[in-house]
Amino acid sequence: AVAAHDKGHFEDAASLLVYLFKLPFARPEPMVLVYYSVDFLPADADPWKLNVAPDLFERQMACVAERKIPCLVSFDDGFSGVYTHAFPILRKYGLRGVLFVTTDYLDGKMSFDRYFKTPHAPRPLNWSQVRELASEGMEIGSHAATHARMTSLDDAKALEEARSSRERIREM
């Protein structure tokens, strides 16, 4: 997980936890915590450092809840660990999140395996899980259809990425 702070980005999830513990109890401005995968993966399988182990995620959320730190907990892409690990932890601590899904990934039309060096790369959520998350209060947003770099697309292709993803989410 990477989370922005005053001096840039945290290098890993543990440094975020240290930062959270050092915060004063009354933090005036909200923060955004951005996660991708919350799952059990060996460190060497995740060269992009996109994964946070569930026990570390729980310690972070416990700290956020205990210290009443105003924050938005955001998840990108649509990895299944959001459902199996992160959401139960959020619910345990009375926290809510926002999930930005890559719809072609959930539909099985693409894979994120190239980002992970393991045969056990995180799997995508399925639409049933996304519906359940939404019914339990998680906000669902679009992370485009194919995870394309929107700034590299012409206007028509960028619009189609957004439109098709938005329509697919509405259909769920």
Side-chain angles (χ1 to χ4, degrees), residues 8 12 30 37 43 52 54 81 83 93 104 110 128 134 169:
D12 57 33
S37 174
V52 173
Y83 179 84
Y93 293 102
D104 279 9
M110 63 170 288
S128 175
I169 291 168

Side-chain angles (χ1 to χ4, degrees), residues 69-110:
I69 299 168
C71 71
L72 170 67
V73 182
S74 171
F75 301 92
D76 274 6
D77 301 326
F79 294 114
S80 63
V82 172
Y83 179 84
T84 56
H85 302 296
F87 187 69
I89 293 167
L90 290 173
R91 188 171 26 199
K92 177 180 178 179
Y93 293 102
L95 302 171
R96 294 179 60 185
V98 178
L99 170 64
F100 295 98
V101 297
T102 305
T103 54
D104 279 9
Y105 180 52
L106 274 63
D107 286 336
K109 296 178 185 174
M110 63 170 288

Side-chain angles (χ1 to χ4, degrees), residues 1-3 12-13 16-17 20 32-38 49-53 56-61 64 71-79 82 86 90 98-100 143:
V2 179
D12 57 33
L16 170 62
L17 190 59
L20 290 173
V32 176
L33 303 178
V34 179
Y35 296 91
Y36 295 88
S37 174
V38 178
K49 298 190 184 308
L50 296 175
N51 188 66
V52 173
L56 185 53
F57 179 78
E58 179 158 11
R59 291 197 321 256
Q60 292 169 359
M61 295 304 104
V64 164
C71 71
L72 170 67
V73 182
S74 171
F75 301 92
D76 274 6
D77 301 326
F79 294 114
V82 172
L90 290 173
V98 178
L99 170 64
F100 295 98
H143 195 26

